[in-house]
Amino acid sequence: MLATDLSARTDRALDRAVVLARETGAALTVLHVSEPDGLGRMAVDERLRLAERHLLADLPDEVLADAAAPSSPFTIRTRVEDGDAADTILRIAEDDGFDLIVTGLARNEPMGRLLLGDTVDRLLRRSSVPVLVVRRRAKRPYRQMLIATDLSGPARHATETALTLLPDLPATVIHAFDTPFHHLSSDRTAHIRALGETAAHRLNDALDALAVPASRVAGLTRIVLPGPADEAVAAELAREPSDLVVLGTRGQGVVAEAVLGSVAKRILATVDEDVLVVPRGN
C-alpha cells in the first residue's frame, strides 16, 4: 500500500512503490484518506469525488498503462477513504492483509531537513505492518540494505522480514555493542577488542538461528562496532553506502512510544536513506 496525501512530497514514495511493485510482482494499492476540514464546507461524497480525481491525476499515465498491460508483473488500483488518516491507513492495512505500507515525508524544515509529520509518526508507532519511509528519488531498485540489530526478538523479526520481503537484495547486518565507562583505562583497546569478539560471536549465532534459507544467511555481511547504535549506523553508511536501512521496534502503541523515542527515532532523524521500520512480530 502506498499512503499518499497528494502533495508533491509523496512523489518519491510513489516512484519507490512502483519500482518495488515491478520488482516483486506485488499488487499495489494507492490510498488517499480525505480528512474532514472541520468546517463542514463540503459534503463527504463531494470531497471523496474530488480527492479521487486528484489521485488519478497524480498517477503518471505510463505507470497506469504499464500496470494494465497483459504482461505486466504488477497491478495497481486506487482507493479513497474518509476519516482520520493514520487510523484509516492502519485499519485498511491490517484488515486487508497488506505486506507493506509505503509513505513519504511530511515537510521541510527551514534548514532543509525532512520531517516525518504526525501521520507518519503515528504509523511508525502503531502499525503492525512494516512501514517504508521513502526519502530519496527511486531511480533504480535498491542495491544494498543495512539492517540494524540489537539481537533482541523484535530485531530478529525485523531481519527475517527484510530478508523475506527483498530476498535478492544484498544485505549487511550491523550490531553495536556497549563499552562501559568504567573500563576507560590503559587497557581500553584490548577491552574493546574482546567485547567486539564476543559481540561478533553473538551476532553470528543470532543470524544462524534466523528462519530464512541458509544460503541467504551465508551471503550476509556482518559488522560489529562499539558505541550507540545510531552512531554505528552512521559510521557504516559513511564507509559503505546503502539505499535502505532496516529497523525493528519492540511493539505497537504505548510500548513503541519509548522505543521510537530512543534508538529507532534517533536513526530515523539522522539518516538520509530510506528506512524500513518493522514492528514486533506476533
Side-chain angles (χ1 to χ4, degrees):
M1 173 199 293
L2 168 67
T4 176
D5 63 3
L6 302 181
S7 70
R9 291 177 297 271
T10 57
D11 286 352
R12 298 181 183 189
L14 170 62
D15 291 345
R16 177 55 65 188
V18 171
V19 169
L20 285 172
R22 283 195 179 110
E23 185 180 8
T24 62
L28 172 61
T29 294
V30 181
L31 171 68
H32 171 66
V33 180
S34 177
E35 297 184 296
D37 60 12
L39 299 177
R41 291 174 295 189
M42 188 180 297
V44 173
D45 289 347
E46 182 182 358
R47 178 160 45 81
L48 292 180
R49 282 196 297 271
L50 180 62
E52 186 169 15
R53 286 200 297 272
H54 287 168
L55 179 57
L56 289 171
D58 265 7
L59 295 176
D61 291 340
E62 61 270 21
V63 171
L64 294 174
D66 187 10
S71 60
S72 175
F74 76 105
T75 61
I76 186 169
R77 64 181 288 244
T78 59
R79 183 169 177 176
V80 175
E81 296 285 341
D82 173 62
D84 175 85
D87 289 344
T88 305
I89 293 166
L90 292 170
R91 173 180 55 80
I92 292 173
E94 294 169 6
D95 290 351
D96 292 4
F98 281 92
D99 300 300
L100 180 68
I101 299 171
V102 182
T103 187
L105 295 161
R107 62 188 185 278
N108 289 308
E109 280 185 331
M111 297 301 292
R113 186 69 189 173
L114 293 168
L115 299 179
L116 293 177
D118 179 65
T119 297
V120 177
D121 189 65
R122 290 166 63 196
L123 291 179
L124 294 175
R125 295 178 186 278
R126 295 169 47 199
S127 180
S128 63
V129 177
V131 179
L132 175 63
V133 181
V134 177
R135 297 174 183 270
R136 293 186 169 182
R137 296 281 178 193
K139 298 178 181 179
R140 54 182 172 262
Y142 289 128
R143 295 187 293 181
Q144 179 75 30
M145 66 177 162
L146 179 65
I147 304 172
T149 179
D150 61 3
L151 308 183
S152 65
R156 169 179 173 166
H157 176 67
T159 303
E160 291 173 341
T161 299
L163 296 176
T164 301
L165 282 174
L166 298 164
D168 300 318
L169 182 63
T172 295
V173 182
I174 184 169
H175 172 53
F177 60 91
D178 293 331
T179 54
F181 289 111
H182 64 271
H183 287 290
L184 296 179
S185 60
S186 59
D187 64 344
R188 182 174 186 271
T189 300
H191 179 68
I192 290 178
R193 185 183 301 115
L195 289 174
E197 291 173 356
T198 300
H201 286 305
R202 294 183 63 213
L203 176 59
N204 287 335
D205 289 344
L207 295 180
D208 288 342
L210 293 176
V212 296
S215 58
R216 185 69 164 124
V217 174
L220 298 175
T221 301
R222 298 123 191 266
I223 300 288
V224 292
L225 289 176
D230 56 322
E231 295 179 10
V233 167
E236 177 58 20
L237 289 172
R239 189 192 71 84
E240 188 67 36
S242 292
D243 309 287
L244 178 66
V245 176
V246 180
L247 307 173
T249 67
R250 296 185 184 277
Q252 295 85 47
V254 175
V255 176
E257 292 286 334
V259 177
L260 284 175
S262 56
V263 177
K265 195 160 189 177
R266 287 203 304 272
I267 294 174
L268 276 162
T270 55
V271 303
D272 294 320
E273 290 73 17
D274 294 358
V275 179
L276 175 64
V277 180
V278 181
R280 180 186 63 187
N282 296 325

